[in-house]
Amino acid sequence: MIMCKENMKTVPEAAKPAAEESVIQHEDAALKTAFLYFSEELLPYFGITKKAVGIAATELVKLDVQKLHEDFNFIMEDGSWIHFEFQSRNKGRKDLKRFRMYEATASYQHNAAITTYVLFSGNVKRPMTEYTEGINTFCIKPITMKSHSADRLIAKLQKSQENAEKLKKEDLVLLTLCLLMDGEMPLKDRVRAAFRITQEAGDDYEEMDRIEAVLYVMADKFLDSVEMDELMEVIGMTRLGQKLVNRGMEQERLEIAEGLIGILDERIIAERTRLPLETVLKLKERQESAPVL
């Protein structure tokens, strides 16, 4: 399934402050790449034959101005939406009620027929997939990949690398889904092993960037903050990790520049923060046009 970035349509979002606009934060850093990879390579693994032609909104605003944050939404070629959620715990009816609210809100606001798929990590064995309330029954399509073993897949790829064999693309695609598979290896250890495999997987940097982006998003969805902090040493050694570091440094420079506006000349601010003068001038323009509270 081939899809160029130019063909992916995005739902417009509200204007963001310059600091956010210039720098992709830790979730967004890999998310756009993951969206494309998900639609091109992974949808067929879930038995979805329809082609994704756009990325749909994932922030839904209710009438009480509460934002509902979904994981992935895809606009399909027939105009319907496919909604993905990532779950590392099985909370049963409570989660299903939340997903039902997402579906109803998005369907009402965007006039779209929506199907929800829930990707459960390998430690969820018997997820609740439907419930009835009143005269209505709500159901999701669960994805667990129980027929695959993360332990066997990772061991196979590690052995291939030890024997200096070139890894097959289909194996690397499956590696991005190792957190959904069965197996005894803890989820955190799977991610650590997967990133070490991608580091040595060859010189196709663009493909490795895409795979690492999906791995990062999967890890961020399924692991807790303590586990993610422990993994950052391994992730930091990858090309993706270096990009995240560089973006974080740029964010700091933007924040410093914003604090110096009105104190120092814009050219001096640009020199000291190593930001383009045009960026500093835009920051100043935004500050001057911001409403006074």
Side-chain angles (χ1 to χ4, degrees), residues 144-171:
T144 58
M145 299 196 70
K146 294 179 182 178
S147 61
H148 292 80
S149 167
D151 300 358
R152 288 198 296 269
L153 174 64
I154 290 172
K156 171 188 173 183
L157 296 180
Q158 290 172 334
K159 184 176 181 179
S160 294
Q161 288 187 324
E162 290 172 2
N163 296 332
E165 299 174 5
K166 185 175 177 60
L167 301 184
K168 298 179 181 178
K169 179 179 178 181
E170 51 266 34
D171 289 332

Side-chain angles (χ1 to χ4, degrees), residues 12-284:
E13 297 181 356
K16 299 179 179 179
E20 295 182 13
E21 190 176 89
S22 302
V23 181
I24 302 175
Q25 297 301 316
H26 84 283
E27 285 189 358
D28 293 337
L31 200 52
K32 290 184 179 178
T33 300
F35 269 137
L36 293 171
Y37 197 83
F38 216 90
S39 63
E40 293 171 8
E41 305 290 350
L42 301 185
L43 293 188
Y45 279 95
F46 305 146
I48 299 171
T49 58
K50 290 188 290 187
K51 178 181 178 182
V53 296
I55 297 171
T58 56
E59 281 194 4
L60 309 175
V61 182
K62 292 175 64 181
L63 293 179
D64 59 4
V65 199
Q66 175 188 357
K67 283 190 177 181
L68 307 178
H69 292 273
E70 299 176 284
D71 287 332
F72 282 8
N73 277 331
F74 291 103
I75 302 171
M76 310 309 289
E77 55 189 340
D78 61 357
S80 64
W81 285 22
I82 287 183
H83 166 217
F84 282 97
E85 287 292 324
F86 300 79
Q87 290 295 108
S88 59
R89 296 178 179 84
N90 183 18
K91 297 181 182 179
R93 182 182 294 258
K94 182 177 180 181
D95 276 337
L96 291 179
K97 281 180 171 284
R98 178 163 57 91
F99 301 150
R100 180 187 182 189
M101 178 174 62
Y102 290 167
E103 266 201 23
T105 304
S107 177
Y108 179 75
Q109 290 185 359
H110 298 280
N111 193 29
I114 302 173
T115 301
T116 295
Y117 288 77
V118 180
L119 284 70
F120 291 97
S121 61
N123 57 13
V124 178
K125 302 302 181 184
R126 295 179 179 85
M128 184 176 181
T129 61
E130 67 176 55
Y131 78 100
T132 299
E133 193 169 63
I135 62 172
N136 299 307
T137 297
F138 174 76
C139 61
I140 54 99
K141 292 194 174 183
I143 297 174
T144 58
M145 299 196 70
K146 294 179 182 178
S147 61
H148 292 80
S149 167
D151 300 358
R152 288 198 296 269
L153 174 64
I154 290 172
K156 171 188 173 183
L157 296 180
Q158 290 172 334
K159 184 176 181 179
S160 294
Q161 288 187 324
E162 290 172 2
N163 296 332
E165 299 174 5
K166 185 175 177 60
L167 301 184
K168 298 179 181 178
K169 179 179 178 181
E170 51 266 34
D171 289 332
L172 290 170
V173 170
L174 276 177
L175 188 63
T176 66
L177 302 176
C178 66
L179 296 182
L180 307 181
M181 297 179 182
D182 201 1
E184 298 299 323
M185 186 182 294
L187 300 186
K188 179 181 65 176
D189 293 343
R190 298 182 193 187
V191 177
R192 179 181 286 109
F195 272 113
R196 285 175 175 161
I197 289 171
T198 62
Q199 284 180 264
E200 303 174 11
D203 55 2
D204 188 348
Y205 297 127
E206 182 177 355
E207 183 68 13
M208 288 307 103
D209 284 350
R210 283 152 56 91
I211 289 172
E212 288 177 353
V214 177
L215 277 171
Y216 182 84
V217 170
M218 289 287 195
D220 198 39
K221 297 296 183 184
F222 287 124
L223 303 183
D224 60 36
S225 58
V226 174
E227 291 173 321
M228 283 299 293
D229 288 342
E230 293 176 4
L231 284 170
M232 285 314 296
E233 182 178 352
V234 175
I235 296 175
M237 297 173 65
T238 65
R239 285 166 50 86
L240 171 66
Q242 191 57 52
K243 289 179 180 179
L244 293 175
V245 170
N246 291 339
R247 285 166 178 153
M249 293 172 61
E250 183 179 354
Q251 174 66 33
E252 289 182 7
R253 292 199 297 269
L254 287 164
E255 291 174 354
I256 291 171
E258 287 181 319
L260 293 175
I261 290 173
I263 300 174
L264 297 177
D265 179 79
E266 289 76 32
R267 293 184 182 277
I268 295 177
I269 295 174
E271 291 174 3
R272 293 191 179 181
T273 59
R274 292 178 308 201
L275 289 171
L277 177 59
E278 181 183 357
T279 298
V280 177
L281 292 174
K282 285 183 178 180
L283 290 175
K284 180 182 179 182

